[in-house]
Amino acid sequence: MNFYKLIKRLVIDSQIFVSLMGTSLAVFFFLQQGVFRLPATLLIFITYLCGYLYTKYQSSKYFLAVLLLCGFSALVCIAFIIYNHNLPTLLKWVFIVILGLFYNSSFLAIYIRRIPLLKIFYVGLVWALVNSWLVFEALNIPVFFISFFFVSALVLPFDIRDMNDDEVLTFPKIIGVRNTKILALLMLLAAQILGFFYLPNPYATAFRGAVGVSLFFVLFSKTSNPESYFSIGVESCCGLPFILLLFL
């Protein structure tokens, strides 16, 4: 087994990487708002990790083990929230988890991932709620829309990757790859404009750099790209605002 396959199995297939990137994006906004807390960071990472494990392995032979892990992790998360936060935060967390279950649960007759064109906005919605609402007293509207446009744009390259295999109608199938890229670029531009007016330096600078790198990955997305282009390259864009912030 070569080094890349080992990393893919331990980090990518385990859903650790995407969970870290999602958590990093949340931490970026928490730091900007001055609400960063380690327990909240752990809560978000565990929630993302269990959500992505559930989605990936629900039809596999490992599902029972994953389900038990998710159940135990849910108890840990609830304990985290009760000890470190309050009842409203617990209710918000439960609501976000339920939204995640509606995204891709095979026991449902119809779930969000099977509804044409809705997937990208739904993923953007859930991530935006985590970043702007979960640990805030009220919904932070600028953070919500910055996150929503940024994350939704980064889901579109995955639709391009899967357009020949996906059974659901997606944007690349309906409007073509070129127009899908334009849509993603417009959403990244919207996120950048909002970030320019709302985020102070150095957060605005870090976010601008992340958008720039994201534009590159969107523009060069195609079905023939290797899996690592998406699972590492595109996924890493979500964590870039926080990563770049560390260097500023």
Side-chain angles (χ1 to χ4, degrees):
M1 181 181 296
N2 61 37
F3 181 72
Y4 171 70
K5 288 183 178 179
L6 178 63
I7 294 298
K8 183 177 184 297
R9 176 173 294 183
L10 295 178
V11 181
I12 306 302
D13 292 344
S14 67
Q15 307 302 297
I16 290 175
F17 186 71
V18 63
S19 302
L20 282 173
M21 294 301 100
T23 304
S24 296
L25 184 61
V27 169
F28 173 80
F29 288 111
F30 292 171
L31 287 171
Q32 188 269 317
Q33 290 293 300
V35 296
F36 172 78
R37 298 291 185 276
L38 182 59
T41 302
L42 293 173
L43 168 70
I44 291 168
F45 175 74
I46 294 171
T47 302
Y48 274 137
L49 181 60
C50 289
Y52 279 104
L53 284 173
Y54 173 84
T55 298
K56 182 177 178 64
Y57 292 106
Q58 64 176 308
S59 300
S60 77
K61 62 181 179 181
Y62 305 110
F63 181 60
L64 179 58
V66 169
L67 195 60
L68 291 173
L69 175 63
C70 291
F72 174 75
S73 299
L75 294 177
V76 172
C77 289
I78 292 171
F80 270 0
I81 296 171
I82 292 175
Y83 184 77
N84 293 285
H85 297 281
N86 50 36
L87 179 60
T89 302
L90 177 60
L91 295 177
K92 293 174 188 178
W93 179 81
V94 170
F95 178 74
I96 290 171
V97 169
I98 291 173
L99 287 180
L101 289 174
F102 278 127
Y103 173 68
N104 191 17
S105 291
S106 57
F107 66 86
L108 297 174
I110 298 177
Y111 46 91
I112 299 300
R113 201 178 188 285
R114 305 292 300 176
I115 301 176
L117 309 183
L118 185 57
K119 177 182 73 173
I120 69 162
F121 302 115
Y122 197 83
V123 174
L125 169 67
V126 173
W127 282 45
L129 288 175
V130 170
N131 296 342
S132 65
W133 185 55
L134 180 60
V135 298
F136 293 86
E137 291 186 5
L139 179 67
N140 187 310
I141 294 177
V143 170
F144 175 86
F145 281 107
I146 293 171
S147 300
F148 176 78
F149 287 124
F150 184 60
V151 174
S152 297
L154 291 173
V155 178
L156 284 170
F158 291 93
D159 279 355
I160 294 174
R161 179 196 65 180
D162 299 332
M163 65 178 296
N164 295 328
D165 302 316
D166 211 328
E167 298 177 358
V168 181
L169 284 176
T170 57
F171 280 101
K173 286 187 174 184
I174 295 176
I175 64 177
V177 171
R178 179 176 178 273
N179 288 331
T180 299
K181 291 180 180 181
I182 292 174
L183 176 60
L185 295 179
L186 289 175
M187 287 193 287
L188 287 173
L189 178 61
Q192 177 55 58
I193 292 173
L194 290 171
F196 175 80
F197 285 106
Y198 177 73
L199 298 175
N201 278 322
Y203 296 91
T205 301
F207 190 73
R208 183 164 58 248
V211 169
V213 175
S214 302
L215 287 170
F216 171 86
F217 278 102
V218 167
L219 285 172
F220 291 96
S221 294
K222 54 185 178 181
T223 56
S224 60
N225 284 342
E227 172 60 26
S228 58
Y229 183 92
F230 301 96
S231 60
I232 297 177
V234 177
E235 294 283 16
S236 66
C237 292
C238 291
L240 271 182
F242 174 67
I243 294 171
L244 293 176
L245 181 67
L246 296 177
F247 293 94
L248 296 176

